């Protein structure tokens, strides 16, 4: 179980738990800002999770929006279009 904001951010970009739990955990932490970087592999893993039936397309969209709007997630300019396509 994640204990720091950075660990919760890592859980978010890797989509390791259900989205409401992840977002609640992030809101609880008021530690200084820290960043993690979203990569194409995170998007690939999320898409594979959806294609395997472990998540719905609605959940995929909600996850992508959560990642996109999280201030402490850095998205490489080259990958921004990929994330917004979700």
């Amino acid at each position: 179980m994640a204990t720091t904001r950075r660990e919760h951010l890592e859980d978010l970009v890797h989509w390791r738990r259900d989205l409401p739990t992840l977002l609640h955990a992030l809101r609880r932490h008021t530690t200084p800002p820290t960043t993690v970087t979203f990569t194409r592999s995170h998007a690939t893993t999320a898409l594979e999770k959806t294609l395997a039936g472990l998540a719905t397309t609605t959940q995929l969209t909600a996850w992508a929006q959560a990642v996109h709007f999280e201030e402490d997630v850095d998205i490489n300019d080259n990958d921004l279009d990929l994330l917004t396509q979700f």
Side-chain angles (χ1 to χ4, degrees):
M1 164 99 36
T3 58
T4 67
R5 180 160 176 79
R6 180 173 179 76
E7 290 171 321
H8 289 300
L9 287 169
E10 288 286 343
D11 284 349
L12 176 64
V13 296
H14 288 281
W15 199 359
R16 291 187 180 128
R17 292 183 277 152
D18 67 288
L19 193 55
T21 302
L22 288 168
L23 295 176
H24 178 73
L26 280 168
R27 302 303 171 253
R28 275 194 345 240
H29 278 276
T30 57
T31 55
T34 182
T35 59
V36 298
T37 302
F38 175 83
T39 66
R40 289 181 176 269
S41 68
H42 296 124
T44 300
T45 300
L47 187 56
E48 288 171 347
K49 181 176 185 172
T50 305
L51 292 173
L54 301 174
T56 66
T57 55
T58 301
Q59 290 170 315
L60 176 64
T61 300
W63 168 80
Q65 289 174 344
V67 171
H68 183 73
F69 291 113
E70 181 58 51
E71 291 179 10
D72 296 332
V73 174
D74 184 33
I75 304 169
N76 184 318
D77 289 340
N78 294 333
D79 296 332
L80 187 57
D81 287 341
L82 174 68
L83 181 60
T84 56
Q85 288 176 22
F86 277 114

